[in-house]
Amino acid sequence: RWLTTNPARSSAHYLVKGKRDTTAQAVKPPEGRMKRIFGFEKEDFSSWHRIVCLLNRPTDPAALGIFRCMFGMLMAIDITQERGLSHLDYKYLDGAPICRFPLFSSLEPLPMDWMYLVYVVMFLGSVGIMLGLFYRLSCLMFIATYWYVFFLDKTAWNNHSYLYDIFSIVHTFIFIVYFIAGIKKLDADWVEGYSMSYLAHHWLFEPFQMILSVDQVSLLVVHGGGLALDLTAGYLLFFDATRPFGIVFVSYFHCMNSQLFSIGMFAYTMLATSPLFCYPDWPRRFFARFPAPLWVLLPITAPGPQPSSSCVYPEVQKGGKKPRFRHKLATVFAFIYVVEQFFLPYSHFITQGYNNWTNGLYGYSWDMMVHSRSHQHVKITYKDGTTGEVGYLNPGVFTHSRRWKDHGDMLKQYAVCLSANLPRYNITEPEIYFDIWVSINERFQQRIFDPRVDIVKADWSPFRPNPWLMPLLVDLSPWRTKFQEIESSLDNQTEIVFIADFPGLHLENFVSEDLGNTSVQVLQGQVTVEITEENKNYTLETGQQMKLPHGAYHKVYTVSEGPSCYMYVYVNTTEAALQQNFTRLLGIQERVRNGTETEPLPPELLPLIATDDQGSEVNATDPVVQLFLRRQRRMKEVKKRREANVMERLNRFTVKKYYLLRRGFLMTSIALRNLAFGLPPVDQLTREVAFANMKEPLQEANQDGPLKEEAGHGEL
């Protein structure tokens, strides 16, 4: 038998149980330098036959087996978390008027109990992959159910969810993940440091701030370091000389990502891929080094790789066979797969309907963290097609997602869903209009879709550009450097919003009573400001400003030939007064505690010196004192969490995950029981669900809200 692994990455023997296997050494010809470095010679590509033999040569499967086990384990954990098993009933509640966003409009979720069964099949498939039990069947179980759930909800798409799909089909070509992500980061916004500038303030980057400013950390470490790592990670991991450095760097990178972002098992899955770049037989050599008494607890290291009909062995080897049709087919599939993975991130010229300010559906594009968005204003207007009555909807009604605000295809689905639900409220043949203001990578806030278009009747095709998409005003991007100068000149109580608008359109806005000092100033172009209650118009040129009345509506019309740019400058006078009161109360509290307060406290301030925080908060009669004590209690809780030791953090993490997993599995058992034996009486079902919803007593009040908010069914 042929016991060597990758010819460029194998020794002439295996270590078996700590001893050399001297009975089955293969005599190999001297290797050239190219083969030692890359694992193949240029002659291996001299003919189709040599290529087939190269891609089907025998290789030790030990490293792949370790990765499959880890991948299956991580996917089993991921199913209960990011895939949503723990709150599946909120997402697929039977009979709820929910707007969904499947890839194909005809694709519908199964009834809720059957969706639990789908997740059970997915979970069993992942466990089978982990254990190597009925491996191909387990892969099919996982693939079929995962892709079904994936296609059901475009709003949950992201790069790593798509990556899990790829891993579930073929466990190879990991290099692409890093390299294409690096190519995508050659975007000007990333290189100039605008995509993820807020990350520089995270505590993980505090060590860098000892020698660099926050702006330098953002530009050099966050953006420059991320770009360099993605472009070079694959090369660092591939070559023997640089692999140790590559593993250290990518491990540090993924550990940081696990703390910076809510990305489920992605960071840990990528950590599990790193050993795939090592020698294929590393697990055998690693476990063979353990003492003999531990061998019964460790994976078996002997015998070595066994003969397989899936491999093409050297013709000089006794019993070697020429490539079969299956080997040629596998080679063709491998080439098609590699070309496909390089092509898909740049295939947006085909699926033009999914292109917005960024190209394509957020999934297979590998635009990881290249674009950040903030939404300043979202307004949904409906018009009764029969009576002409105009009204407004709460943004996000009838849906559990927020991503529809940035994608034309989802906005179209949302509008059609709203038009189907509004007749229940005596609104016939409704027209739906969206006015959505977005800033991408710290640019001006501007409209992303035309607010004058009825999206229900609007034309949309996956293969044609979206006609009601407003262009991104990239010519105004240089203003971002001026934004920083303007913001640095303001005090801590002054806020500012930068707006850009198109000719012929206007922004209707309301100045709250809390904003006692609000003004608008034109940066570029010409605008007309209409004060609705006064029925007066004021025209402003570049550099001019005017104060706006609070507690009233106004409209800002762009009357210049090109886009206008202006900014709102305001002070929240209510918040400023509240902060002054907090400072005064804190001073009184400190003077009382250190014995320097000479005046007796009035009754409404006595809760300030109580020892029981929660009791004093309840007993406070003054609303400002009550708010002050509540804020102090929360600050203490935050401080306690931040200063917790490792064991306290581990305990908190364990308890949180326990109740998360507990709810998922209890609700799954209820659903399977319903499928097998039918629904029980309502009171019994209510008790069972209440038992599944049980949480840690100290956190019961705090965890229920986030769960429902995450699921997005608060309006139900």
Side-chain angles (χ1 to χ4, degrees):
R1 58 185 178 177
W2 185 259
L3 287 184
T4 57
T5 65
N6 182 332
R9 299 182 177 182
S10 60
S11 57
H13 58 270
Y14 280 103
L15 288 174
V16 180
K17 295 297 184 183
K19 300 180 180 179
R20 294 191 178 191
D21 185 356
T22 58
T23 61
Q25 295 187 15
V27 179
K28 298 190 302 179
E31 296 179 346
R33 182 178 181 183
M34 182 175 180
K35 194 167 187 177
R36 289 196 305 271
I37 297 177
F38 295 102
F40 54 83
E41 299 280 6
K42 62 181 180 179
E43 289 79 9
D44 291 330
F45 293 90
S46 60
S47 66
W48 173 248
H49 173 79
R50 295 291 297 270
I51 293 175
V52 173
C53 292
L54 173 67
L55 295 186
N56 289 275
R57 64 187 177 186
T59 304
D60 195 320
L64 186 59
I66 293 292
F67 172 70
R68 286 173 173 177
C69 179
M70 298 177 67
F71 175 74
M73 178 186 66
L74 292 171
M75 290 303 97
I77 299 173
D78 179 79
I79 288 169
T80 63
Q81 298 187 72
E82 193 172 4
R83 295 316 115 202
L85 179 62
S86 61
H87 55 265
L88 196 65
D89 52 322
Y90 288 98
K91 190 171 184 178
Y92 296 109
L93 189 63
D94 289 338
I98 300 300
C99 295
R100 307 188 188 279
F101 304 91
L103 179 61
F104 308 106
S105 298
S106 58
L107 190 62
E108 294 287 342
L110 298 172
M112 187 179 69
D113 288 341
W114 287 97
M115 287 301 300
Y116 273 103
L117 181 60
V118 169
Y119 273 69
V120 168
V121 174
M122 191 193 313
F123 180 80
L124 293 177
S126 64
V127 172
I129 294 174
M130 178 181 68
L131 300 177
L133 186 65
F134 303 107
Y135 184 75
R136 285 188 172 86
L137 176 61
S138 297
C139 284
L140 289 175
M141 292 168 60
F142 183 80
I143 291 169
T145 51
Y146 191 102
W147 279 97
Y148 170 66
V149 173
F150 187 74
F151 285 151
L152 269 181
D153 189 8
K154 290 183 292 186
T155 65
W157 286 20
N158 49 42
N159 290 296
H160 58 270
S161 295
Y162 171 68
L163 181 66
Y164 299 160
D165 290 338
I166 295 176
F167 282 163
S168 64
I169 297 176
V170 58
H171 296 77
T172 186
F173 305 117
I174 311 302
F175 186 97
I176 295 177
V177 176
Y178 292 107
F179 188 72
I180 296 296
I183 294 295
K184 290 287 187 173
K185 285 184 174 62
L186 292 175
D187 179 88
D189 286 352
W190 184 277
V191 174
E192 294 175 10
Y194 290 107
S195 297
M196 292 280 120
S197 58
Y198 67 89
L199 290 181
H201 298 277
H202 196 278
W203 63 267
L204 282 172
F205 295 99
E206 289 180 357
F208 298 100
Q209 295 176 14
M210 298 174 63
I211 56 175
L212 299 173
S213 66
V214 174
D215 291 338
Q216 290 174 328
V217 171
S218 173
L219 180 62
L220 300 178
V221 180
V222 177
H223 294 87
L227 173 63
L229 182 71
D230 279 334
L231 286 176
T232 61
Y235 300 101
L236 292 175
L237 291 170
F238 184 81
F239 296 106
D240 290 352
T242 58
R243 189 174 302 114
F245 302 100
I247 290 179
V248 170
F249 289 147
V250 299
S251 299
Y252 180 71
F253 174 73
H254 292 307
C255 289
M256 288 185 67
N257 283 344
S258 69
Q259 300 299 310
L260 290 171
F261 309 108
S262 299
I263 51 178
M265 294 292 105
F266 174 58
Y268 309 105
T269 303
M270 293 308 298
L271 286 173
T273 66
S274 297
L276 289 177
F277 290 88
C278 300
Y279 289 91
D281 65 336
W282 73 263
R284 300 183 190 277
R285 292 183 282 113
F286 175 75
F287 290 114
R289 295 177 181 272
F290 282 82
L294 297 178
W295 289 351
V296 294
L297 304 176
L298 299 175
I300 299 174
T301 58
Q306 303 299 304
S308 171
S309 60
S310 299
C311 299
V312 177
Y313 293 85
E315 294 179 356
V316 297
Q317 180 74 11
K318 184 177 180 180
K321 298 180 180 179
K322 294 183 178 180
R324 300 179 181 177
F325 174 76
R326 58 183 293 187
H327 299 129
K328 299 176 181 178
L329 185 63
T331 303
V332 171
F333 171 79
F335 275 110
I336 293 176
Y337 176 80
V338 174
V339 172
E340 175 198 22
Q341 294 306 316
F342 276 104
F343 172 75
L344 279 178
Y346 302 96
S347 64
H348 309 306
F349 64 93
I350 299 176
T351 55
Q352 299 183 65
Y354 294 104
N355 298 342
N356 298 285
W357 288 349
T358 58
N359 289 330
L361 287 166
Y362 190 71
Y364 57 81
S365 300
W366 302 115
D367 297 332
M368 290 179 282
M369 305 302 174
V370 176
H371 307 290
S372 61
R373 298 175 175 85
S374 63
H375 299 81
Q376 184 71 25
H377 178 73
V378 178
K379 182 172 70 173
I380 304 177
T381 306
Y382 71 82
K383 180 179 180 181
D384 192 305
T386 302
T387 65
E389 177 188 0
V390 175
Y392 304 95
L393 299 176
N394 180 30
V397 68
F398 299 128
T399 183
H400 56 76
S401 174
R402 303 174 184 176
R403 194 173 284 188
W404 53 267
K405 293 182 286 189
D406 299 309
H407 299 270
D409 57 304
M410 299 184 197
L411 198 72
K412 175 68 175 179
Q413 290 176 307
Y414 189 34
V416 172
C417 178
L418 290 176
S419 68
N421 282 299
L422 288 181
R424 303 178 185 178
Y425 303 91
N426 299 322
I427 303 172
T428 59
E429 300 179 4
E431 301 173 4
I432 307 294
Y433 302 88
F434 294 90
D435 194 11
I436 303 174
W437 293 74
V438 187
S439 169
I440 185 169
N441 291 347
E442 302 185 14
R443 290 182 173 86
F444 281 100
Q445 288 280 340
Q446 67 157 97
R447 288 182 167 98
I448 184 171
F449 302 112
D450 194 331
R452 300 163 294 189
V453 176
D454 173 18
I455 305 300
V456 177
K457 300 182 178 66
D459 179 53
W460 182 85
S461 168
F463 305 109
R464 295 195 302 271
N466 189 341
W468 31 275
L469 174 70
M470 305 295 282
L472 178 63
L473 298 173
V474 293
D475 293 341
L476 301 177
S477 297
W479 274 95
R480 290 181 290 190
T481 56
K482 299 181 181 179
F483 293 168
Q484 298 174 356
E485 298 174 2
I486 296 173
E487 290 173 342
S488 62
S489 65
L490 303 175
D491 56 50
N492 294 333
Q493 296 181 344
T494 304
E495 301 290 341
I496 194 167
V497 178
F498 298 98
I499 304 291
D501 204 3
F502 297 90
L505 297 178
H506 73 275
L507 169 64
E508 183 179 19
N509 211 345
F510 178 80
V511 179
S512 171
E513 292 282 357
D514 295 328
L515 308 181
N517 186 14
T518 302
S519 64
V520 59
Q521 179 177 342
V522 179
L523 301 174
Q524 178 178 306
Q526 185 180 30
V527 303
T528 296
V529 181
E530 176 189 348
I531 307 300
T532 307
E533 292 184 357
E534 299 177 3
N535 198 22
K536 292 183 179 179
N537 294 339
Y538 304 87
T539 299
L540 302 179
E541 303 281 351
T542 300
Q544 295 181 332
Q545 62 178 336
M546 66 171 290
K547 189 173 182 180
L548 298 172
H550 58 84
Y553 280 93
H554 68 273
K555 297 179 181 179
V556 182
Y557 295 86
T558 297
V559 295
S560 54
E561 294 183 358
S564 66
C565 307
Y566 52 94
M567 63 181 181
Y568 283 101
V569 182
Y570 60 93
V571 176
N572 191 326
T573 53
T574 302
E575 182 179 356
L578 190 62
Q579 290 295 335
Q580 292 178 356
N581 283 324
F582 283 175
T583 303
R584 179 179 63 87
L585 293 175
L586 182 61
I588 294 174
Q589 190 181 59
E590 290 179 348
R591 289 196 301 272
V592 170
R593 291 178 176 176
N594 59 30
T596 59
E597 178 62 42
T598 58
E599 298 293 332
L601 294 182
E604 64 271 14
L605 297 184
L606 290 178
L608 292 175
I609 59 176
T611 56
D612 182 5
D613 292 343
Q614 292 188 352
S616 62
E617 181 182 323
V618 173
N619 296 328
T621 57
D622 189 302
V624 176
V625 174
Q626 189 178 36
L627 192 60
F628 171 77
L629 293 173
R630 185 183 307 165
R631 181 191 183 195
Q632 276 197 323
R633 176 171 58 84
R634 290 178 177 175
M635 291 176 63
K636 288 181 180 179
E637 293 174 354
V638 171
K639 182 180 179 181
K640 182 179 178 181
R641 291 173 64 90
R642 288 181 177 176
E643 296 178 352
N645 57 41
V646 175
M647 293 304 300
E648 291 173 338
R649 291 174 182 266
L650 180 60
N651 178 69
R652 189 168 62 231
F653 173 83
T654 304
V655 170
K656 179 181 178 181
K657 295 304 179 183
Y658 165 74
Y659 282 98
L660 186 73
L661 297 174
R662 176 184 181 276
R663 187 181 193 279
F665 285 110
L666 285 177
M667 293 300 297
T668 300
S669 63
I670 294 173
L672 296 180
R673 188 276 317 278
N674 295 343
L675 290 176
F677 304 106
L679 289 172
V682 176
D683 57 343
Q684 176 184 341
L685 189 60
T686 302
R687 291 194 303 269
E688 293 173 346
V689 174
F691 180 72
N693 288 334
M694 184 179 67
K695 302 175 181 67
E696 184 183 9
L698 294 178
Q699 300 183 2
E700 181 138 1
N702 298 329
Q703 291 187 1
D704 187 60
L707 177 63
K708 292 184 178 179
E709 182 181 352
E710 179 184 3
H713 290 281
E715 75 278 3
L716 299 181

